[in-house]
Amino acid sequence: MPTPAEELRAAAQKLRETADAASPGPWSVNDWGNVQTARHEEVAEVWPLQSKPDANAAYIALMDPDVGHALARLLEHQADASDRLAQLFDDPPLIPDDHPALAVARALNGDR
């Protein structure tokens, strides 16, 4: 079973790889309710399904690759902090099971 720090790093890597493969940000919602890049390239056509019109597109646009990279750095920062504390106190990683960063990592890793 992976340690919490390993879970955080795995999620950061997955997020960074996915963000690297995506069209560059920033993203926005165009007049037709689709997600587009700053160069007006459509990256996603979004149908509202059960949400209000443009809600899905606005969310996708908000979570552009720049946000993904920032989240990956945050997850790695938390993993590094856990490792430093573990070395300092000669203990296993000190991330509680209900830590918000670990919840994000588990959601990204598919381990909700």
Side-chain angles (χ1 to χ4, degrees):
M1 184 154 134
T3 67
E6 290 169 339
E7 290 182 82
L8 290 163
R9 286 194 179 91
Q13 179 180 347
K14 181 177 184 179
L15 191 53
R16 187 170 286 113
E17 288 171 357
T18 303
D20 284 344
S23 297
W27 294 353
S28 62
V29 179
N30 65 21
D31 293 338
W32 299 276
N34 298 321
V35 180
Q36 68 182 19
T37 68
R39 293 184 291 183
H40 306 289
E41 301 164 319
E42 286 194 359
V43 294
E45 183 174 332
V46 183
W47 297 93
L49 303 176
Q50 295 177 338
S51 64
K52 67 180 185 162
D54 298 336
N56 291 337
Y59 180 76
I60 293 168
L62 179 67
M63 298 302 293
D64 73 37
D66 295 336
V67 174
H69 281 282
L71 278 171
R73 284 192 307 274
L74 184 67
L75 293 172
E76 286 176 338
H77 175 77
Q78 185 63 51
D80 291 344
S82 173
D83 287 345
R84 284 191 301 275
L85 287 172
Q87 289 174 355
L88 184 63
F89 294 105
D90 198 26
D91 272 328
L94 301 173
I95 300 176
D97 201 47
D98 63 346
H99 193 284
L102 195 52
V104 170
R106 288 178 175 161
L108 289 168
N109 291 332
D111 301 331
R112 299 173 198 214

